Amino acid sequence: MRSKRSPRAHRTRNVLIATAIAAAATGGGIVVAGTATATTTHQAESCTSTVNGNIGDPVTVRAESLRDLVKRGAQEAGTLALADIAAHDVTRDGALAVGQVPNAQNGLVSGNSIADAAAGALKGSLGLGLNSSKTISSIKNKIAGSCGISVVASDYEAPESEQPIPQQPAPGGNNGGTGPQPGTGNLPDPLPSGSTGSGDTTVPQRSYDNIPVVPPGIPAPPPGNRYPGAAPVPGMQAPEVGVLGAPGQQQGQPVSGDVRNAGNADSLAAPEAPGTVQMPMLLAVIALAGVSAALVRTWVVRKAT
């Protein structure tokens, strides 16, 4: 024989069932939220490669790819650094965290960020030489000038373009003014008749009555009227152009027509310069030279005999 449950026991059972359902729903929500916010670390194989990931994902670089740069930076520091030991120590962690995927379509992990990560990995290294600060600075300069990781956000969505701002109607356009009415397709006259400015100021139209105009059908004027030549009297024929030195224009013969030389010029002897040697002086010098040569020859012959 079955016992009848009391109303109190029934209410307690319903409360327990509702609590269990709420707890299950809350736990499921937590699991879903945790799955949605999980991030993936993306490792760059070298300090100049490209990484694809979701926005906010951490980005690391393989420490082994920095070994040569650390070694060269330590050697160039001039601090007696043990470059091989420093290059080995930078690879102890395997990968160096250098940044994350930005909230943009493309991004860049700069060389300075990679250099700072390498400097953090080298703290306490025994291969930094006599001046660890100078060695670290040399290594950072070497890495910063040689590295840069391109980052692409695969889940980036460009923001929607802003709606265009509606243009404000011109004053008086729709309030009883002279603006165009919708559907008419006609534009208003920008200026009243006879007006060339704004406001009530008007000016008369220009007159072109005083500009000379050649009526059609009149023959062209002769060349003398179009190009009057030397004389300013209209109607004179323009001079014909010839060639100087043509046959019949030899020296001493008159030049016929309008073709003539511009002027008659004769060459003049140049004036004597004050220090110019004249012909008598030149002959005297030559005679003196001949006499001197004869005397010298006579002296030489006498001495020889």
Side-chain angles (χ1 to χ4, degrees), residues 142-229:
K142 180 64 68 174
I143 295 177
S146 304
C147 295
I149 300 175
S150 300
V151 183
V152 179
S154 56
D155 60 343
Y156 174 76
E157 295 181 0
E160 296 181 359
S161 60
E162 298 181 358
Q163 296 295 333
I165 301 175
Q167 296 182 356
Q168 298 295 333
N174 297 326
N175 298 326
T178 58
Q181 300 298 327
T184 58
N186 297 325
L187 296 177
D189 188 4
L191 294 175
S193 177
S195 174
T196 59
S198 60
D200 299 332
T201 304
T202 59
V203 295
Q205 295 183 355
R206 295 182 179 180
S207 176
Y208 301 98
D209 296 337
N210 57 347
I211 298 179
V213 179
V214 178
I218 297 179
N225 291 345
R226 285 186 289 176
Y227 313 106

Side-chain angles (χ1 to χ4, degrees), residues 240-264:
E240 297 179 0
V241 180
V243 180
L244 295 177
Q249 297 183 5
Q250 285 79 11
Q251 186 175 4
Q253 296 183 4
V255 180
S256 60
D258 293 330
V259 180
R260 57 178 61 89
N261 293 331
N264 297 323

